[in-house]
Amino acid sequence: MALIDFGGVKEEVVTSQEFSIEKAREVLKNETVAVLGYGVQGPGQALNLKDNGINVIVGQREGGKSWGNAVQDGFIPGKTLFPVEEAARKGTIIQFLLSDAGQAEVWPAIKKCLNKGDALCFSHGFSVVYKDQTGIIPPENVDVILAAPKGSGRTVRTNFLDGSGINASFAVHQDFTGRAKERILALGIAIGSGYLFHTTCEKEVYSDLTGERGVLMGCLAGVMEAQYNLLRKNGHSPSEAFNETVEELTQSLIRLVAENGMDWMFSNCSTTAQRGALDWAPRFRDAVSPVFEDLYKSVISGKETQRVLEANSTVDYREKLQRELDEMRNSEMWKAGASVRSLRPENRK
Ligand SMILES: NC(=O)c1ccc[n+]([C@@H]2O[C@H](COP(=O)([O-])OP(=O)(O)OC[C@H]3O[C@@H](n4cnc5c(N)ncnc54)[C@H](OP(=O)(O)O)[C@@H]3O)[C@@H](O)[C@H]2O)c1
């Protein structure tokens, strides 16, 4: 592990320098990693493991689109692709990557497939932390570990192919074999993590649910909409409102933040922009802080996970979700966005 200073607080992290891919292969050489679920994370992790020379099989219910995707990606039915329970029986590390609601649904069957000394691995603390809601209580004779990429499964794969990585947190929730830590570090490196940082399943799920409801997705969508509506209400054109709200952020400013931090982005903007942004940032921070407080409380209380399980377990879940996403896509703001994107030089070629 390397000791890194994060703004004055020292934390231990693991990269492929401390834990090489060769070491990961050595640790996992007698293991079969069964990736259960081939939705968003499943393909990213399974393909990276495969390309890194790890013995990997996929477990997926037959007949659906995801089964077809696994076949298309080179997994062979009866050889490296099986129905979920069969894969769980064959695996020694069970990478549980069904949707969180799906995990709760299939758990009674999966539990029966676990052998003494297996490792049950999650990419989210949801299932084991909110066990009163999910019913997922692993037996005592298995390791329970977590490697949670901090990004979409899609970028887990594309970053790997680009020679980059997605940072991930890791946790040992239960160490039956005494090998739980080396197993999860090996797995974390082999799925293509940029660097691995330590967490617990509790901390992972609380921060993850807060992040995606907050700045990463929910808050982002909300504040963008608020600013776009304000500009439209005051007579600005859709093109102007969208460029000032979204396009300038995604095509220019956020790239500077990614490159070198917020101060770097500020220092590459006009003095007019800097002065205003520095003055207004504390007002926005103070305005949204109470909302973030409510959000964190709602996460800790289990209200958020309860809602997810209830919503995702209805038979028409996908149709309802699609209707909500269609509504977003068909709003003036995001239709304007499609037009703006179509005008990017690279899209006009
Ligand atoms: N999405 C991400 O990028 C991301 C990022 C970090 C962590 N995670 C975590 O990774 C895990 C997987 O998430 P995900 O987003 O990849 O899930 P997802 O895309 O929703 O995956 C759904 C998968 O689960 C299967 N499934 C759902 N319900 C099922 C059921 N009742 N029986 C059998 N199979 C069922 C689906 O099969 P069908 O296609 O046949 O329905 C599909 O293969 C979750 O714990 C999530 O919190 C996800």
Side-chain angles (χ1 to χ4, degrees), residues 4-5 23 27 32 35 37 59 63 80 97 110 119 137 142 153 162 216 218 224 231 242 274 278 315 319 343:
I4 303 288
D5 188 330
K23 186 168 171 189
V27 169
T32 298
V35 173
T80 50
L97 296 181
I110 298 302
I137 302 171
V142 301
D162 289 349
L216 304 176
M224 281 178 166
L231 292 174
F242 193 85
Q274 284 160 11
L278 286 165
V315 280
E319 292 78 42
L343 289 168

Side-chain angles (χ1 to χ4, degrees), residues 38 40-41 60-61 66 99-100 103 105 124 152-153 318:
Y38 208 76
V40 180
Q41 273 298 322
Q60 171 58 45
R61 62 179 164 194
S66 306
S99 67
D100 297 299
Q103 291 177 21
E105 224 172 286
H124 200 3
S152 162
R318 279 179 205 261

Side-chain angles (χ1 to χ4, degrees), residues 105-121:
E105 224 172 286
V106 305
W107 172 247
I110 298 302
K111 192 178 171 183
K112 293 190 193 131
C113 303
L114 298 176
N115 296 307
K116 182 179 173 188
D118 281 354
L120 183 60
C121 182

Side-chain angles (χ1 to χ4, degrees), residues 166-281:
I166 287 284
N167 300 332
S169 56
F170 76 93
V172 172
H173 194 66
Q174 181 170 292
D175 187 3
F176 173 73
T177 62
R179 294 181 54 230
K181 189 169 178 187
E182 67 170 15
R183 275 171 138 178
I184 195 57
L185 291 181
L187 208 66
I189 292 298
I191 61 172
S193 302
Y195 81 86
L196 288 155
F197 59 96
H198 178 258
T199 189
T200 62
C201 285
E202 288 78 8
K203 287 249 162 34
E204 193 282 334
V205 69
Y206 299 158
S207 58
D208 195 80
L209 293 175
T210 301
E212 65 205 7
R213 280 154 182 71
V215 169
L216 304 176
M217 293 172 69
C219 172
L220 181 68
V223 295
M224 281 178 166
E225 197 183 329
Q227 179 172 301
Y228 181 89
N229 288 346
L230 169 88
L231 292 174
R232 289 290 290 132
K233 196 176 77 183
N234 284 285
H236 300 266
S237 68
S239 185
E240 187 162 67
F242 193 85
N243 270 286
E244 291 295 354
T245 304
V246 181
E247 195 73 352
E248 182 169 341
L249 179 72
T250 61
Q251 298 306 293
S252 170
L253 303 185
I254 208 69
R255 294 178 182 178
L256 296 175
V257 178
E259 224 171 72
N260 244 330
M262 191 66 87
D263 64 303
W264 173 249
M265 186 264 268
F266 274 43
S267 64
N268 281 286
C269 291
S270 69
T271 50
T272 308
Q274 284 160 11
R275 185 66 266 136
L278 286 165
D279 290 347
W280 278 86

